[in-house]
Amino acid sequence: MAGRQPVTHDGNASKPRTGVWFVGARGSVATTAVAGCAAVTAGLHPPTGMVTETPPFDGTGLPSLSSLVFGGHDTAHGPLPKRAEHLTAAGVLPPGLAPAVRAELRAADEEICLGGPLPDDPRDDEELIADLAADLTSFRARHALARVVVVNVSSTEPLPAPDAVRLPPSSLYAAAAVRAGCPYVNFTPSTGLRTPALARAADAAGLPHAGRDGKTGQTLLRAVLAPMFVQRALEVRAWSGTNLLGGGDGAALADPGAAAAKNAGKERVLTETLGHTPQGEVHIDDVPVLGDWKTAWDHIAFEGFLGSRMILQTIWQGCDSALAAPLVLDLVRLVARAHEAGLSGPLPDLGFYFKDPDAGPSALSEQFAALLSFAGRLRETP
């Protein structure tokens, strides 16, 4: 942004640093990721949930957590340290962590720019994209960053109407990332790069990208259980589910259009794995008092030998931000390394992280095998 002064680098300035630019930078996932990265870097907490911190990723050349520099766009106000205090009160962050990483939260907060479109915003799509891209290039230049990975962690938006004249907000940010030469990750079900024109532009710019909709709970379990039924030759007759959640996601998904976009990825896992779409739907209920915590219940009706009818029920209770944040940090490191290695276009080998991946299998075990193969490619690439 205009008026910012160049940063003064410390003794580690000679090491390449990677920018992380969150779309939705004041939200729960982004705040948890910034606080968590600082906590792991300082040795205050182990990197639980970060797959890239496990032995198969040794020697792959991923950027270190200490080399990440955070910033982002948001239309909301309120400093990250205060947001971290709210997350602590909600039980998302452990007691004492927010004060311990206050300096890192403040540094990231100083790099959050006002996004758009705002209510009554006079800018057209081209002007918005240009302004958003300028924020990205300024951030990269001020901190002498090797690259900046843009990650969409904002609230789910409804699918755009077929006759929509303007791009949806997620696509404006994705277009800005492409224009600024930044790799892109869509951790939401929103459209993002999934328009033909933007996908072509990203490929022409030689940019790697990955998405969409992070797989953190209910669909993660579906990606494990659905192959089990197929492998044991058991016929799934119906698969119904209910999600109870609050916070920003709960409010956003109260919109039927946003909920439909979210459920598309959940249904894709079952259809592609089972070979058919079983009866049943996923219902999403906004329960504000739950905050960042969610409960996902599944009811699976299946048939066995001689027509014997049986039932499996599962309950998943978890904190969405704490589940998502380590995956976001994984994706930043993997996509940044892919960009450094000269890879471009969609990265289907990262389907392990998504409900609705760009391509590839839907079963979690096959997705994990593809991810490990991808790690091997990175290890062999200068």
Side-chain angles (χ1 to χ4, degrees):
M1 294 180 69
R4 296 272 181 92
Q5 298 299 314
V7 296
T8 300
H9 299 299
D10 59 21
N12 294 322
S14 60
K15 297 180 180 179
R17 299 196 298 169
T18 298
V20 183
W21 191 266
F22 287 126
V23 178
R26 298 194 188 280
S28 297
V29 174
T31 306
T32 304
V34 173
C37 182
V40 173
T41 298
L44 301 176
H45 286 271
T48 306
M50 289 193 65
V51 180
T52 55
E53 284 292 298
T54 60
F57 294 86
D58 291 345
T60 54
L62 302 181
S64 67
L65 293 175
S66 62
S67 74
L68 303 183
V69 182
F70 295 95
H73 279 121
D74 210 318
T75 56
H77 299 279
L80 285 189
K82 180 60 67 176
R83 179 65 179 151
E85 291 176 9
H86 292 159
L87 291 175
T88 302
V92 178
L93 298 181
L97 179 60
V101 298
R102 186 178 301 275
E104 290 85 349
L105 290 166
R106 283 178 175 167
D109 190 68
E110 290 174 359
E111 295 294 344
I112 297 177
C113 303
L114 186 63
L118 304 169
D120 301 319
D121 200 318
R123 295 172 292 178
D124 61 20
D125 283 2
E126 174 56 31
E127 292 170 319
L128 276 164
I129 293 168
D131 288 346
L132 299 173
D135 290 335
L136 285 165
T137 55
S138 175
F139 174 67
R140 183 171 55 207
R142 279 197 317 279
H143 292 277
L145 301 170
R147 57 192 49 83
V148 176
V149 180
V150 176
V151 187
N152 182 15
V153 289
S154 61
S155 297
T156 301
E157 65 190 17
L159 293 171
D163 58 349
V165 176
R166 299 194 62 172
L167 288 172
S170 65
S171 294
L172 294 172
Y173 288 107
V178 172
R179 183 168 300 185
C182 298
Y184 176 80
V185 175
N186 189 1
F187 204 72
T188 80
S190 302
T191 304
L193 278 181
R194 288 217 181 161
T195 72
L198 286 179
R200 286 195 300 269
D203 293 344
L207 295 171
H209 53 90
R212 68 185 168 174
D213 199 4
K215 184 163 56 188
T216 58
Q218 185 180 44
T219 310
L220 177 68
L221 195 56
R222 288 179 167 210
V224 174
L225 291 176
M228 176 193 73
F229 287 104
V230 173
Q231 291 160 4
R232 292 295 299 269
L234 298 170
E235 181 184 354
V236 175
R237 302 173 55 248
W239 199 315
S240 302
T242 295
N243 276 259
L244 308 176
L245 69 163
D249 263 358
L253 294 172
D255 181 309
K262 186 79 171 177
N263 285 338
K266 295 176 181 290
E267 294 171 359
R268 174 181 170 178
V269 171
L270 297 183
T271 300
E272 292 188 356
T273 305
L274 300 175
H276 71 281
T277 303
Q279 294 181 20
E281 298 178 348
V282 175
H283 297 276
I284 300 176
D285 295 331
D286 178 24
V287 186
V289 72
L290 294 180
D292 281 273
W293 298 81
K294 68 177 182 182
T295 296
W297 169 75
D298 271 24
H299 183 280
I300 308 161
F302 65 99
E303 188 171 291
F305 192 51
L306 304 179
S308 177
R309 294 188 172 185
M310 294 168 272
I311 297 292
L312 172 64
Q313 294 184 349
T314 66
I315 298 176
W316 176 286
Q317 294 178 308
C319 174
D320 209 36
S321 300
L323 290 165
L327 307 185
V328 167
L329 294 173
D330 275 353
L331 285 164
V332 164
R333 302 174 79 193
L334 290 163
V335 174
R337 178 68 178 99
H339 187 236
E340 180 187 42
L343 303 181
S344 64
L347 300 174
D349 290 334
L350 301 187
F352 175 77
Y353 292 98
F354 298 104
K355 295 183 182 75
D356 188 18
D358 296 302
S362 294
L364 193 70
S365 60
E366 295 176 49
Q367 291 176 332
F368 188 58
L371 179 64
L372 295 182
S373 177
F374 183 71
R377 288 171 58 198
L378 294 180
R379 192 177 293 109
E380 296 167 0
T381 303

